[in-house]
Amino acid sequence: ESRVVSYNCQYNGIDAAANTVRVKGLEAGSVFVQSVLEFFKARINHQYPLDNSSMDQLEVIREAHEAFLNSRSSTVLGRDEILDQIQDFVCSPGSGIPMVIVGVAGAGKSAIIARSAATTVNKAQNHDIPGGSNKGWNVFYHFIGAAPGSTDLGFMLQRMLKELKYVGEIPADTESLVRLSNITLSSPKLEPTVLFFDALNQLDKSKESEQVSWLPFELSPNVRLVCSVINGTPCHCSLAGRAVEPKEVLCGPLDLASRREIVDQVLTKFNKKLDTVQMDCLLAKEASANPLWLSIACEELRVFGLFNKVTEMIKDLADGLLELLEQVLTRFEEESGGHLMVATLCLLECSRHGLLERELLELLGEDETLKPPTEKQFIEKGPDAAQEISKQAKTENSSELATDLSKKLHVTVEETYRKTDFDKKVDDEFDVADIEDKDNAKAPLSKRPAPLPAAKWAVVFRSLKPFLRPCGDSGEGRLDFYHRAMSKAVRRKYFKSGSEDYRKFLYTWWHGKLAEYFEQIENHDRKAEELPYHLEKLLDHSRLARCLLEWPVFEKLSSDEHNIELLRSWRKAGGYATAATLYGQSLEQLSSQTSDEEVADKKWRVARFLCCAGQYQEAESLLSDAIELEENKLGARKRKMADLFQLLADIKSEVSKLAEFISAHDTRKHYDVIQIAVKAISLRKNLKGDENKYQLGLIELRLSFHYGAFFRVGRTYKDLTAPDSRIKCEVHCHNALQIFQELGDAGHMAEAYQNIATFVYDDTDPAQNKGVDRNLANWYKKALEVCIQAYGEYHKLTGRIVFNMGIVIEYKNKKESYKYYKRAYDIDCEIFGPTHPTTLRTKAVIDEPAF
């Protein structure tokens, strides 16, 4: 194929203003331009072909952390002693305690963790770590801030459990994940594993993250865990305050020789060097003992163009990390983009997990509108300034929607949210039709401005590049600050000036810009990730509810990985009752617009979410519709029917458990759950795969509970007698126990033991107990032992088992039974609070005169 292209190019005079030659034939669309573009496109596509195969989410996140590890582990100077200590710790017998690397911001902790993780991965692959048996050692690393979602404790623990090949259901709520993490990391059965966690102090603020409650007090002998924290932070204090203190290693100031080596190495890359006087002047600064400060200072010297003033420049460098970064930001403003630079920094700071480059370019396209009011303007305008926070895409076609929805939904949301009564029904007169109607569902997208020209962006990006990192190695990686110190410097410089009201206004103004942008984009994954966050920050509950009602957003957030976020967002948007009403109305609209299969699937998804949210009546109604569609119109597919009937059993079971005690009034409820669960098992038992096996174990366990509850009622209902239900309870208990033993799921094994103790065996029946160890106290003790191993002391199952143990021995030893009741009360107070019905029931027992 010939690569010779003929094109015409002619002299076209002189441009007097620019003093350059003008030509014809090289403009956009010309033969020359098109030929060059097509050639490069073809060659790039040949050398870097697109891979259209989809990656699962776990693989994507793993790749992002691996890219971060590779970038941070390349150069680590002056930390050989700490690196050796870490490797000695990894290769030594398990001590049951973690190693904690402690230091100030910028001390190089991330580089140490990255290098140590990389070294350990190589050793594990070569079987150079003692004690790994035939399988060798698993190595897991998590760099907080290195990937989207990495600062969320729940996501971190979910990722860890998946990477550790945990068999069983991985919960969505943080409380359960914390308990499961404790169980897993303390279990002697865990395969040999080395874990690295960088920057625990940068996890999103919560009680669990600050108390590091997810980390057991005693690790499994098969576990080596190394983490890093900034000294003096809450999580450092929590770790240091443990009864058995972790092995702490101080990442202190760099020695003088290491500092010199870093400066020489950085500047030599660019053929630059400091003379002795300049080097001494630089290293005389106290902050030069901080590796991050030193690398930033070298970068500033590298780009400084006046050779005869370098010494003066060194003297002017701020002697403090944040102060130096603020100095750098001031230079960026003056030299590289002015308000565009400020806007880029503020948008990145206010984003949830960084921004794609194309998102930044589109946001910056409206560069003239990216200047928030000054404090003087804010004071002068007063409340009117708030109206300029975010220009919502309002056109004549959307004005009716905006008015109607804002009035109706805002009243509902505000009223429900203020009362925090999430079980209260919302106004039945509210109609979601306006949201779902295709003509009115969305305001027509306002015409977006052209993205920021590449020439302008190049000026900004060239300066910021050393301080940015992509989340992942692909071109779609999100841009974010390379180090959290940069984030702190941006906050100090651009969000901490002026009055408290003005500072709040600035945050709101930038969150408003981001909310307006993400409302209009077509990438639903990014919308689901960013938009609810910004609307929560704006306290705009009406728009938040509208966002959560968009089906692509709901489907993303209702997945197991993001279910926590959806529950949290609806609490902010008006509560679970509001969600139930609005999703119900939305599904009514959808029924006439799409296929039966899609309607059935969405009803199942919404029902599953509403079950998690405790909206059982609405969930059951939607699920019944989905079952009817599946049976009558979709061919009653076995796997779908198994999922549907199992969820229906779950919903009815949760409703039956709302009663404080098992009573004769609930006979029919238990019978109904039994019939549904039996059908679910018949559908599930012939399906293949570990997930189906796990789901089968869950439904067996649930069925055993309701057979046992039916037996305790002591009545006959339809074709089921109490004696028969007892026998069947025992059968299904042992079925569940066998499945969970095979899967290694201790938590559900404990529940199976609890059901056996509660419903199957009876100390008062000598004939039943003859020749078999069926002593109730022993069964309960076994259940309690496994439960604490699985969930810890403060779990609702632990409280239930302890309370039942009190019942078992009350008539034999009241003093001993009181101890169990009091322990159950303490557990209930910790989990549910003192006013919860479960807690009040336990308190009523210990307040009886007999005690």
Side-chain angles (χ1 to χ4, degrees), residues 103 227 231 275 318 335 459 470 603 615 622 694 706 818 829 838:
C227 60
N231 52 339
D275 62 32
E335 300 177 2
V459 174
K603 287 191 173 185
Q615 304 300 300
L622 291 174
Y694 172 73
H706 288 283
Y818 176 81
C829 281
T838 302

Side-chain angles (χ1 to χ4, degrees), residues 538-748:
L538 292 171
L539 302 179
D540 197 332
H541 307 137
S542 299
R543 288 164 72 195
L544 177 57
R546 291 179 64 173
C547 167
L548 300 175
L549 287 169
E550 292 186 33
W551 287 117
V553 172
F554 170 78
E555 288 182 12
K556 173 76 173 180
L557 294 180
S558 63
S559 64
D560 292 340
E561 292 84 359
H562 302 282
N563 198 36
I564 301 172
E565 294 179 43
L566 186 59
L567 290 168
R568 186 198 66 231
S569 292
W570 270 114
R571 289 198 295 271
K572 300 279 182 70
Y576 301 144
T578 302
T581 299
L582 298 184
Y583 280 129
Q585 293 178 2
S586 184
L587 284 165
E588 287 179 15
Q589 296 294 316
L590 186 71
S591 297
S592 61
Q593 300 169 2
T594 189
S595 67
D596 291 333
E597 184 174 359
E598 185 175 348
V599 171
D601 181 67
K602 281 186 167 53
K603 287 191 173 185
W604 174 74
R605 290 178 186 276
V606 173
R608 188 174 64 161
F609 165 68
L610 293 180
C611 181
C612 292
Q615 304 300 300
Y616 303 119
Q617 184 177 342
E618 294 81 357
E620 184 176 345
S621 175
L622 291 174
L623 196 62
S624 297
D625 293 344
I627 290 173
E628 184 178 346
L629 281 171
E630 185 64 43
E631 288 180 331
N632 298 333
K633 295 185 178 182
L634 299 173
R637 296 163 293 179
K638 187 166 287 188
R639 187 180 296 274
K640 288 289 186 182
M641 292 293 288
D643 291 340
L644 289 165
F645 275 95
Q646 184 154 348
L647 180 56
L648 183 58
D650 290 346
I651 293 169
K652 285 186 172 291
S653 177
E654 292 303 318
V655 171
S656 73
K657 290 178 182 177
L658 293 176
E660 292 186 28
F661 298 98
I662 296 172
S663 69
H665 298 293
D666 299 322
T667 304
R668 181 176 175 179
K669 289 182 181 178
H670 294 301
Y671 182 85
D672 288 346
V673 177
I674 287 168
Q675 301 310 307
I676 296 166
V678 167
K679 186 174 179 73
I681 287 175
S682 69
L683 292 163
R684 179 78 67 187
K685 65 182 180 182
N686 293 323
L687 298 176
K688 304 298 183 182
D690 282 345
E691 178 60 25
N692 274 302
K693 185 176 183 179
Y694 172 73
Q695 294 295 336
L696 181 61
L698 289 181
I699 195 66
E700 289 274 9
L701 190 59
R702 195 172 292 280
L703 181 57
S704 71
F705 172 85
H706 288 283
Y707 269 129
F710 190 94
F711 159 68
R712 287 298 183 194
V713 170
R715 292 188 174 187
T716 297
Y717 185 81
K718 294 188 177 180
D719 58 341
L720 185 60
T721 66
D724 285 345
S725 66
R726 182 180 196 166
I727 294 169
K728 291 179 179 180
C729 172
E730 181 173 6
V731 170
H732 290 287
C733 273
H734 287 288
N735 287 348
L737 194 57
Q738 181 179 346
I739 289 172
F740 291 124
Q741 284 173 337
E742 291 172 2
L743 294 174
D745 187 340
H748 288 104

Side-chain angles (χ1 to χ4, degrees), residues 758-819:
T758 304
F759 302 121
V760 176
Y761 301 134
D762 188 349
D763 266 356
T764 63
D765 185 353
Q768 184 197 156
N769 295 329
K770 187 176 181 181
V772 183
D773 179 14
R774 290 182 171 179
N775 182 278
L776 277 181
N778 287 341
W779 279 105
Y780 275 119
K781 285 177 182 177
K782 189 170 187 178
L784 182 61
E785 178 186 344
V786 177
C787 183
I788 289 177
Q789 178 190 352
Y791 297 130
E793 177 78 3
Y794 294 105
H795 186 269
K796 58 185 179 181
L797 180 60
T798 309
R800 241 181 12 243
I801 295 171
V802 171
F803 184 85
N804 288 338
M805 290 177 77
I807 293 174
V808 168
I809 66 171
E810 181 175 347
Y811 297 105
K812 298 177 182 177
N813 189 334
K814 273 200 176 294
K815 186 176 180 181
E816 191 67 21
S817 70
Y818 176 81
K819 293 179 181 177

Side-chain angles (χ1 to χ4, degrees), residues 89 191 301 360 401 442 488:
F89 176 78
E191 297 291 337
L301 293 173
L360 266 174
L401 168 66
K442 296 179 184 176
K488 291 179 182 177

Side-chain angles (χ1 to χ4, degrees), residues 71-337:
S71 67
R72 285 294 180 98
S73 63
S74 57
T75 303
V76 184
L77 299 173
R79 301 301 190 189
D80 292 347
E81 184 178 344
I82 297 177
L83 293 171
D84 290 342
Q85 287 186 60
I86 292 174
Q87 289 308 309
D88 288 344
F89 176 78
V90 167
C91 295
S92 298
S95 60
I97 58 173
M99 172 180 275
V100 182
I101 312 301
V102 180
V104 299
K109 301 181 297 298
S110 295
I112 290 170
I113 294 291
R115 172 63 68 82
S116 298
T119 303
T120 305
V121 167
N122 290 332
K123 283 188 173 182
Q125 290 173 346
N126 296 324
H127 296 278
D128 290 338
I129 305 175
S133 69
N134 294 330
K135 294 183 179 179
W137 286 76
N138 298 320
V139 181
F140 171 81
Y141 45 83
H142 187 89
F143 298 94
I144 293 154
S150 60
T151 61
D152 185 284
L153 176 62
F155 287 155
M156 182 185 86
L157 297 181
Q158 284 179 329
R159 175 175 176 256
M160 179 190 75
L161 291 165
K162 288 175 182 176
E163 293 283 13
L164 296 184
K165 304 296 187 293
Y166 173 77
V167 177
E169 180 184 15
I170 296 179
D173 64 292
T174 304
E175 181 185 344
S176 300
L177 283 165
V178 165
R179 287 193 297 269
L180 187 53
S181 172
N182 273 273
I183 300 157
T184 304
L185 296 181
S186 60
S187 172
K189 296 181 180 179
L190 181 66
E191 297 291 337
T193 304
V194 186
L195 303 105
F196 292 92
F197 295 93
D198 178 50
L200 290 182
N201 54 281
Q202 289 182 15
L203 284 168
D204 296 338
K205 187 175 180 180
S206 68
K207 180 181 74 174
E208 293 84 0
S209 63
E210 291 188 344
Q211 294 180 354
V212 203
S213 55
W214 56 273
L215 187 61
F217 289 108
E218 184 174 358
L219 292 165
S220 164
N222 297 330
V223 169
R224 312 287 184 270
L225 190 146
V226 183
C227 60
S228 70
V229 294
I230 289 180
N231 52 339
T233 53
C235 60
H236 174 224
C237 295
S238 297
L239 288 168
R242 291 189 167 194
V244 180
E245 294 183 14
K247 181 177 177 60
E248 194 168 287
V249 177
L250 178 63
C251 184
L254 287 168
D255 58 55
L256 202 58
S258 298
R259 290 184 243 174
R260 290 183 186 277
E261 188 177 358
I262 289 174
V263 174
D264 284 337
Q265 191 174 91
V266 171
L267 294 181
T268 299
K269 290 179 183 177
F270 305 98
N271 295 320
K272 294 178 182 288
K273 187 177 182 179
L274 298 180
D275 62 32
T276 304
V277 174
Q278 291 166 341
M279 178 70 82
D280 290 344
C281 181
L282 179 66
L283 301 186
K285 291 183 179 287
E286 187 176 341
S288 68
N290 183 296
L292 183 58
W293 184 94
L294 203 55
S295 62
I296 294 169
C298 289
E299 179 65 20
E300 285 295 280
L301 293 173
R302 180 185 75 79
V303 299
F304 189 66
L306 302 176
F307 178 76
N308 59 337
K309 292 188 176 181
V310 169
T311 304
E312 185 178 336
M313 167 68 174
I314 293 173
K315 291 178 181 178
D316 290 338
L317 290 174
D319 196 359
L321 179 58
L322 294 182
E323 291 77 11
L324 178 61
L325 283 169
E326 287 188 66
Q327 200 175 62
V328 171
L329 294 176
T330 300
R331 178 177 68 79
F332 285 171
E333 279 186 65
E334 295 171 352
E335 300 177 2
S336 307

Side-chain angles (χ1 to χ4, degrees), residues 285-396:
K285 291 183 179 287
E286 187 176 341
S288 68
N290 183 296
L292 183 58
W293 184 94
L294 203 55
S295 62
I296 294 169
C298 289
E299 179 65 20
E300 285 295 280
L301 293 173
R302 180 185 75 79
V303 299
F304 189 66
L306 302 176
F307 178 76
N308 59 337
K309 292 188 176 181
V310 169
T311 304
E312 185 178 336
M313 167 68 174
I314 293 173
K315 291 178 181 178
D316 290 338
L317 290 174
D319 196 359
L321 179 58
L322 294 182
E323 291 77 11
L324 178 61
L325 283 169
E326 287 188 66
Q327 200 175 62
V328 171
L329 294 176
T330 300
R331 178 177 68 79
F332 285 171
E333 279 186 65
E334 295 171 352
E335 300 177 2
S336 307
H339 75 279
L340 279 177
M341 175 64 71
V342 176
T344 302
L345 293 166
C346 292
L347 289 168
L348 287 173
E349 174 57 30
C350 290
S351 68
R352 189 179 183 197
H353 297 307
L355 296 167
L356 296 173
E357 186 176 31
R358 68 169 183 271
E359 291 169 350
L360 266 174
L361 291 175
E362 290 173 355
L363 281 159
L364 295 172
E366 287 187 291
D367 61 331
E368 294 307 316
T369 69
L370 292 175
K371 298 178 183 177
T374 63
E375 186 171 16
K376 182 180 178 182
Q377 292 170 326
F378 172 73
I379 293 171
E380 289 173 353
K381 292 181 180 181
D384 293 338
Q387 302 302 319
E388 299 176 17
I389 290 171
S390 174
K391 293 182 179 179
Q392 297 184 37
K394 294 180 180 178
T395 66
E396 291 183 3

